[in-house]
Amino acid sequence: MTPSEIFELQKAHFLAHPNPPIAHRKGRLQALRKALMEREDELKEALWKDFSKSSYEVELTEFLTTLVELDHTLRHLARWMKPQRKPTPIVLIGTKTHVRCLPKGPSLMIAPWNYAVLLTLGPIIHATAAGCPFVIKPSEHTAHAAGVLKRMIEEIYPPEEGAVFLGGADTATELLELPFAHVHFTGSARVGRIVMKAAAQHLASVTLELGGKSPTYIDASADLANAAKGICFGKFSNAGQTCIAPDYLLVHREVAERFKAELTSEIQRAYVPGTGDAELTAIITSDELERQAELIQDARDHGAQVLIGGRADSTSRRVEATLIMDPPVASRVMQEEIFGPILPFLVVDGVEDAIERIQRRPKPLSTYVYAKSDAVMDRFSESIRTGAVCKNTTLLQFVQPFGPFGGEGNSGIGRSHGEAGFRAFSNEQVVLRRRWGSWIMRLVMPPYSQRKSWIGKAFRRFT
Ligand code: NAD
């Protein structure tokens, strides 16, 4: 079937079933959970073929994360769906108000490649929970994983409830021409702009999960060994191809030399081939590998020192875990989202200097702070508009289903995960009933008179 045939089918189905019951939604989610477990080996093999992602990383960053979201949704869906009773102001005396969440309708999702399972299934979980039929387009760059996911999803959902289209920008463009009620996009800010423009033609709502440069500040008070471990995990998992990976470091001058030593030994212990037991995931495409190599060369050309790593291998498509000292602001590594295992190390004079440097850039998706006291973190939290601030850890905000996930401006629009994900695919409807006292409104209804005007003014006392 073509995209427009599927869309028409879903539209008709949605009109006939505008609010699927909870048992139906949960049934689909449980089937999704079962299918995911059954296909674990197949998906691991597919992701290995796509970009040599190790089975350990797949377990941790694709399966565990997806299961957290799935189980959280199954556990809380009844509460999210339950109409919420609202208080009654005195002027509305005699009425009763509820707000209920109803599915927006057929929705479109466009997914990236970097966490192919998690970021394809995540929006499906939320759309299903909200009761929306959906069409999803996984990324063309993880074609093996996308193939497995397509088979899996189509076994669970009939086409009027869920469909998968494989392909690249052309397929996405064709899908974006259809008047879906909501568009959920995860990917780059460049394509996010295209998606928002297309959605505007139909006045569809959007969730844009974008990326950017997430800064990491290391205070003089930080536990440096813990900081080195947390930053390496956040940066080199998936070879840095993570939207919330620490993009660059801002290190307090007092501890810069000591932290450099900690970081160097942690990278060598865990990530340098032959010296540790972890092999970095490959870079997704040869073009991306080329860009990573260019970023390193450009930093060198700008006079920065490559302290560790720096090599890119075109056969394995791997880039070494790379630490670059003091690249200037004008260098590409400080201008572009890195999205690879390259870590710029900049020395700063303290909290205010770090904040000022971050504020000069577009709003980051996440901000990490390594420090002893909460006061330091609070200063970042207040001063920087960012989707999440994490103290003494990295990446974990993604796995906190009670906290909405998303960015601001350049790093995204809207929120997903948990209840926020459910709400993104839902419209809130006010249901207001008059139970008694219809005469109260009649006191101010036309024909108007001086007396009614007095009564109307008297109402102001009860607002
Ligand atoms: P991308 O923007 O290149 O592609 C994302 C999706 O958009 C793919 O499915 C692709 O086929 C499609 N696409 C490409 N061109 C298109 C066009 N012209 N019109 C419509 N659709 C088009 O991003 P990517 O390389 O897959 O992912 C990397 C980016 O995603 C990074 O910037 C990263 O930070 C961001 N990201 C954000 C999150 C988040 O949750 N905020 C998660 C993962 C990745």
Side-chain angles (χ1 to χ4, degrees):
M1 272 197 276
T2 64
S4 68
E5 284 166 351
I6 289 279
F7 176 77
E8 289 304 327
L9 190 68
Q10 294 196 346
K11 205 170 93 177
H13 177 77
F14 183 64
L15 286 174
H17 304 89
N19 192 20
I22 187 165
H24 183 82
R25 303 180 196 193
K26 278 190 161 184
R28 293 282 183 252
L29 292 173
Q30 272 147 355
L32 201 58
R33 193 183 203 289
K34 185 164 173 281
L36 185 63
M37 300 321 298
E38 283 168 2
R39 295 199 184 247
E40 182 166 351
D41 290 341
E42 214 182 324
L43 281 166
K44 280 179 176 169
E45 202 183 314
L47 286 167
W48 180 258
K49 284 186 192 152
D50 283 329
F51 64 134
S52 312
K53 185 160 173 164
S54 78
S55 64
Y56 300 115
E57 273 199 9
V58 174
E59 279 167 19
L60 196 63
T61 65
E62 301 271 19
F63 277 82
L64 178 64
T65 45
T66 308
L67 290 175
V68 165
E69 200 60 35
L70 243 172
D71 290 341
H72 178 83
T73 303
L74 282 165
R75 214 169 289 133
H76 297 281
L77 184 56
R79 183 169 55 79
W80 301 339
M81 285 176 69
K82 196 169 166 226
Q84 301 285 310
R85 175 87 196 266
K86 298 291 170 188
T88 306
I90 291 178
V91 281
L92 293 185
I93 194 154
T95 67
K96 189 174 178 183
T97 305
H98 286 87
V99 173
R100 64 193 305 218
C101 285
L102 292 167
K104 283 184 176 174
S107 298
L108 173 63
M109 289 93 112
I110 300 176
W113 51 266
N114 61 331
Y115 290 93
V117 176
L118 169 67
L119 299 177
T120 302
L121 297 185
I124 291 181
I125 294 169
H126 303 137
T128 306
C132 293
F134 66 86
V135 168
I136 189 155
K137 190 202 82 61
S139 172
E140 67 277 28
H141 295 309
T142 32
H144 293 97
V148 179
L149 289 168
K150 180 175 165 66
R151 287 196 295 282
M152 185 177 118
I153 292 160
E154 289 181 350
E155 273 170 29
I156 298 168
Y157 295 87
E160 62 273 23
E161 281 184 41
V164 184
F165 282 93
L166 300 180
D170 289 351
T171 309
T173 306
E174 191 182 348
L175 290 167
L176 282 167
E177 280 167 12
L178 298 165
F180 285 98
H182 183 71
V183 181
H184 180 107
F185 170 78
T186 311
S188 61
R190 181 186 70 80
V191 179
R193 285 189 186 90
I194 297 172
V195 168
M196 196 164 171
K197 207 167 165 184
Q201 298 309 308
H202 308 293
L203 294 176
S205 54
V206 291
T207 306
L208 302 180
E209 294 287 0
L210 312 177
K213 290 178 84 62
S214 295
T216 303
Y217 172 67
I218 294 92
D219 192 52
S221 66
D223 173 341
L224 299 183
N226 177 54
K229 284 189 196 315
I231 288 165
C232 283
F233 175 70
K235 180 70 187 185
F236 301 118
S237 295
N238 214 31
Q241 300 166 111
T242 304
C243 55
I244 48 171
D247 187 274
Y248 62 97
L249 305 181
L250 298 166
V251 186
H252 195 294
R253 193 173 298 285
E254 273 177 30
V255 289
E257 280 308 311
R258 276 196 290 138
F259 189 57
K260 193 162 89 178
E262 283 288 353
L263 206 53
T264 308
S265 78
E266 180 58 22
I267 292 174
Q268 281 168 340
R269 189 188 68 78
Y271 300 102
V272 173
T275 60
D277 56 7
E279 181 110 66
L280 288 192
T281 300
I283 300 302
I284 189 69
T285 61
S286 304
D287 284 354
E288 244 317 286
L289 183 88
E290 178 84 358
R291 190 180 71 89
Q292 296 291 319
E294 284 171 15
L295 291 183
I296 297 168
Q297 188 52 46
D298 176 78
R300 282 196 170 106
D301 293 347
H302 276 83
Q305 183 202 2
V306 175
L307 193 69
I308 298 178
R311 280 176 303 188
D313 176 44
S314 56
T315 316
S316 66
R317 262 193 359 250
R318 284 196 168 92
V319 173
E320 286 178 328
T322 298
L323 190 59
I324 300 185
M325 305 307 294
D326 289 316
V329 174
S331 61
R332 282 182 62 186
V333 85
M334 289 310 295
Q335 290 293 324
E336 299 173 22
E337 178 181 8
I338 296 173
F339 223 57
I342 304 170
L343 188 55
F345 185 117
L346 290 97
V347 178
V348 294
D349 291 323
V351 172
E352 299 309 321
D353 185 17
I355 288 175
E356 205 181 296
R357 290 180 196 228
I358 297 167
Q359 282 175 334
R360 274 189 232 132
R361 299 177 168 280
K363 296 164 189 162
L365 186 53
S366 293
T367 300
Y368 301 106
V369 177
Y370 280 86
K372 200 170 246 166
S373 86
D374 279 350
V376 173
M377 183 192 63
D378 291 345
R379 188 76 194 96
F380 280 85
S381 161
E382 270 165 23
S383 317
I384 295 160
R385 294 285 87 84
T386 182
V389 179
C390 298
K391 181 183 165 217
N392 296 341
T393 189
T394 58
L395 307 190
L396 293 190
Q397 73 277 28
F398 198 93
V399 205
Q400 167 49 291
F402 286 99
F405 181 86
E408 292 197 30
N410 218 57
S411 55
I413 292 177
R415 289 291 180 269
S416 61
H417 291 200
E419 187 172 359
F422 164 83
R423 286 184 177 273
F425 286 92
S426 305
N427 272 324
E428 287 178 328
Q429 185 184 71
V430 171
V431 181
L432 187 148
R433 302 173 176 87
R434 174 157 299 282
R435 295 156 70 218
W436 55 269
S438 301
W439 57 269
I440 300 173
M441 276 309 289
R442 287 201 287 273
L443 293 177
V444 289
M445 282 180 185
Y448 294 124
S449 63
Q450 190 58 48
R451 196 173 70 95
K452 287 183 178 171
S453 166
W454 287 333
I455 295 171
K457 281 183 182 144
F459 275 5
R460 293 182 193 176
R461 265 184 260 152
F462 303 108
T463 52

